Amino acid sequence: IDQPNPQDYYGISKYKAENMIIKLCKKSTLNYTIVRPPLVYGPNVKGNFGLIIKAVKLGLPLPTLNLKSKRSLISIYNLIDFLIFTLKNKKTDNKIILVADKEDISISELIFKVSENLRSKSKLFSIQFPVPLFILEWVFRFVGREDFICKLLMPLRIDKNEIKRKYLWKAKYSLTESLKRTLNEENF
């Protein structure tokens, strides 16, 4: 596991909570399992993932064609499956575990898949166009959103082999299945 390096208040508060849980459990007979998922998606998802779905539904042209860096995500369906797995598996006791879907995906690919899945529900669909990454980076800096540089332009991947090897768990649902299910259960 990489050394934690939270960059915002949300990440810092999560990291402090993890440390408090570990400290409290070590003073007692309780076990803990800390699960660190990447971005979680599912029906009615909020945040950046929700914004992508809304933009595609509206048919907005998006400057995302060059966003090719792969990132790990996890569907709520796989996350629930993993949490149930940890409750039944003593090997996960007193561990910090990173968990993600089997496949990594770029933002450009994600937008394409969302568009593909929503085509039957909407006559509109998003067209992606290329914008050089340095221009996107400049725009994010200009509007004071340097945090988007890492979130959108850099690869953010989790090694899924470790969880498969150490705990014998693998994601039950593919990204394609999870995304289709997410968009079918979405409240339009």
Side-chain angles (χ1 to χ4, degrees):
I1 293 178
D2 290 340
Q3 284 297 96
N5 185 18
Q7 298 293 312
D8 58 13
Y9 293 119
Y10 176 69
I12 292 166
S13 68
K14 279 175 48 175
Y15 184 61
K16 285 181 177 181
E18 287 178 4
N19 288 327
M20 184 61 71
I21 289 167
I22 292 169
K23 190 185 287 185
L24 291 171
C25 287
K26 284 183 177 179
K27 291 179 181 177
S28 73
T29 59
L30 290 174
N31 291 318
Y32 66 88
T33 302
I34 293 174
V35 178
R36 288 187 184 155
L39 186 145
V40 179
Y41 65 96
N44 304 308
V45 65
K46 305 289 184 236
N48 293 333
F49 203 104
L51 290 175
I52 287 172
I53 292 171
K54 283 180 186 171
V56 171
K57 282 183 196 175
L58 292 171
L60 299 176
L62 301 169
T64 52
L65 197 59
N66 286 342
L67 298 180
K68 302 286 186 195
S69 294
K70 299 280 186 176
R71 56 200 55 250
S72 297
L73 309 171
I74 190 164
S75 72
I76 192 68
Y77 316 109
N78 283 329
L79 182 58
I80 289 168
D81 182 65
F82 182 71
L83 293 174
I84 292 168
F85 172 82
T86 63
L87 293 172
K88 297 176 181 178
N89 189 328
K90 293 288 179 201
K91 283 184 177 181
T92 63
D93 285 354
N94 303 315
K95 301 282 191 261
I96 297 173
I97 304 170
L98 303 174
V99 62
D101 284 345
K102 287 181 240 180
E103 312 99 318
D104 294 331
I105 191 167
S106 70
I107 291 173
S108 178
E109 292 167 326
L110 178 63
I111 291 169
F112 177 77
K113 283 184 176 277
V114 169
S115 292
E116 205 173 46
N117 276 287
L118 290 178
R119 265 199 192 122
S120 62
K121 295 180 181 183
S122 170
K123 291 184 178 13
L124 300 172
F125 61 93
S126 289
I127 296 173
Q128 297 185 75
F129 60 93
V131 170
L133 295 180
F134 75 90
I135 291 176
L136 289 175
E137 190 173 333
W138 181 85
V139 168
F140 293 142
R141 286 186 199 288
F142 182 76
V143 298
R145 294 306 309 253
E146 287 86 0
D147 58 317
F148 275 32
I149 294 169
C150 185
K151 288 179 182 176
L152 296 176
L153 306 181
M154 307 297 170
L156 300 167
R157 300 171 86 176
I158 290 174
D159 178 7
K160 274 82 65 189
N161 291 323
E162 181 178 332
I163 197 166
K164 200 183 321 178
R165 189 178 63 253
K166 277 187 181 177
Y167 307 108
L168 304 176
W169 182 86
K170 63 180 183 179
K172 195 176 203 176
Y173 305 98
S174 71
L175 187 134
T176 300
E177 292 168 324
S178 292
L179 194 56
K180 185 175 280 194
R181 189 171 167 190
T182 292
L183 295 169
N184 283 336
E185 294 176 16
E186 185 85 11
N187 292 329
F188 288 100

